[in-house]
Amino acid sequence: MSSFKRKTTTSSPHKSSNAQGTRISQTNSQIQFTSTGVPSLDDILGGGIQLGTDVLLLNPDPHSSHATLVQKYCISQGLASGHKVHVFDSDAEDLVASCMWKQEAEPSSNSIPNQTSNEDEDPSTGEDKVKIAWRYERMDKFRTTVSSNSSINDDYCEAFDLSCKVPYSIIKSSTVSGNLVYYDVFDEECPYETMASRIKDVLASAYDQPPSSGGGVTRLILPSFAGPSWGEPSSQKIISFLLRLRSLLRKYPLSCAVLDLPSHLSSSSHEDPSWTDKLSWVSDACISLEASSSDPSMAVMLPSHHGLVRILRLPTFQTLVPISDRSSTLRGISASSSSGNSGGVGENNLAFKCTRRRLVFETFHLDVEGGVGERRTTPATTVAVGNEHSENKQALPLLQGDRSAANVQVEIINNPIPESPSVASKEPAKETKEGAKRQKVRRKVGFQTDKPDIYDF
Amino acid sequence: MFDLSTIPRKPGQLILVTDTMQAPAEFILQRIITSHLRNPEARVVIASCLDGISHWKSTSSKFSSGISLASRISAGSVVFIDELDRLFQSPSDSPIDVLALSSLFCKLSEAMERDSDRSSGGEGLLVLDGLSSFEWMGMPMIHLKRFIRALFALCTKRSFSLLIRHHRTDNGQTDEFLRLYLQLAAFHLEVLPLSTGRSGAISGEVNVLRGPALIESESRQQEVLQRTSAIQYRLLDSGLLFFERGTSAGIL
């Protein structure tokens, strides 16, 4: 008899009573979450979008549209989980057609999903392994983000791949079954009131009917809310719409909404310095994705990220303190510190980046003096800026050449001078030509020796 | 130990609570309501424009110590008016019409009157939360000012004390609404975030200020009233901790 027991996810007793694609919060059993499609964003929000609340995404940078990308993730996740997805946009069909989808199942799909996180930046293995002090050798590798759940059976959050488009068959079957509905905003006379009453009808028909049709989650997706197709924006109309939406979502607790504002409405302007404050009061979760593409100085500060995340508000529906304060690993306010006895822990700064395959929200740490970009235990890879293109973003050509290294011009008078910067190494002096541009030797983290350490027994 | 229940609630007096996005003051309302409900004959009328009844019920259980808002609501000693829901009953009604305010006023006076038929010994407390949302939706200030003044008169008539929460959004500047409240307030509880930014150990600080409407001779000797020496607090899942400045667990 094999003593080897296979570890499967134990199906919790609550699973059957949940709607599909939802999860009950561990700290408060009244609260249910549904996934946004981005596991790191789910973590920031405390587990996902809380059902019965809305998420407002702000996108202050006019040159990027990361908030729309998050909307697409939400649509894809809704389609994958079988939720009812209602998209309110003038170009809704095109938007849905350009959504991402999961990678086709491969035989190696059982392997750890952490592999995908490494594929974009492969640390060079085999070369110069860094010697780690023995007491730190057992520590976990420094992580900057959370990865999605490893279990295949868990359909809470799918691993979407930006390079795959949603297959037309899925769209067609969802449209036919009534799970995917589009609403055109452009033609309406007073779009705010009309859309609000449409939403009310949608929710009433979904949940006021006898329970055979109800019980599923309804996602309301409003990309570029209050954008050009919604007519002339006014702060009063926006706020009354958001409050109306809130009252509807509270009434039908299995629904949720994700909205995003265009860039001209995403920041406090001169005329209304408290605009973002007001938005945060009337929405449940309010997150601003401040991309660095328009600001070169910020782009230099964030060499491997595309922008900063500013959390303006987190949902406090049915709680006094946002749930993500305790449960979020990315934000870094750990459970032990939230007890009364300890002093608290500060929050991590958060940034996001969009790689070729996915959108990731990560913790952001300032540079260590000396030019190493992130705290690592493996040698820094040379990340070429050109590889990090996303669909929506043009990377600024900040750095010349492939390597993120300084161009050093050396003028030699007589003897070649050994120039390697690594400590206590006996590399042969490198010949340099007069005036030649020379690339700095790649910085190595940690202390290295070529000759055997005298303490090695 | 800072005790919110020592702030006297006299009929016709307004306790104003101001907060900001970084330091929301819902817990103050909950605490004051809970301490008010310690008297079994007390009556409370709550009208909220930003949160619904389910939220109030679930959060009140944090500070319950035996007093549950849900049970009091069903017993009738607490009346909850879900203004958020009522405002948007029919999509055609504009919420910034003055009719919305007058219907709210009628509902409130009806709720207060109903209570007065019952035991006359209990004190009444009227809680208004989220009235700022009317202003943000475009309601003209004149209507709001009249509404507040009328409400004030109504509370004096029915011997209810008033507790209003106002959201400050202007980075320290006083807006019109706040100026009106400050004129009428007997006590002003100002909840502020730490000026140095977010901290894990301290969620914010509370100032208790005396307002111009407080009648000195009538007020009992308030030994526990702090003026501008703020008390810092920390909001936890399990409850609330108050501590003097410089004595939080992170420092000691």
Side-chain angles (χ1 to χ4, degrees), chain A residues 1 15 35 39 44 46 59-60 77-78 84 93 96 101 171 186 208 214 234 256 273 296 314 340 375 402 408 412 415:
Chain A
M1 186 184 69
K15 208 161 188 177
S35 175
I44 294 176
N59 199 352
Q77 181 61 50
K84 300 189 195 55
E93 294 188 28
V96 175
W101 200 244
I171 299 184
F186 189 68
D208 285 345
S234 85
C256 61
L314 287 168
R375 273 196 274 150
D402 306 287
V408 177
I412 310 293
N415 307 329

Side-chain angles (χ1 to χ4, degrees), chain A residues 432-447:
Chain A
T432 54
K433 290 193 180 144
E434 218 171 317
K437 288 194 182 173
R438 187 175 174 277
Q439 283 178 336
K440 215 156 78 167
V441 169
R442 206 169 70 201
R443 282 245 177 194
K444 296 183 176 81
V445 187
F447 182 79

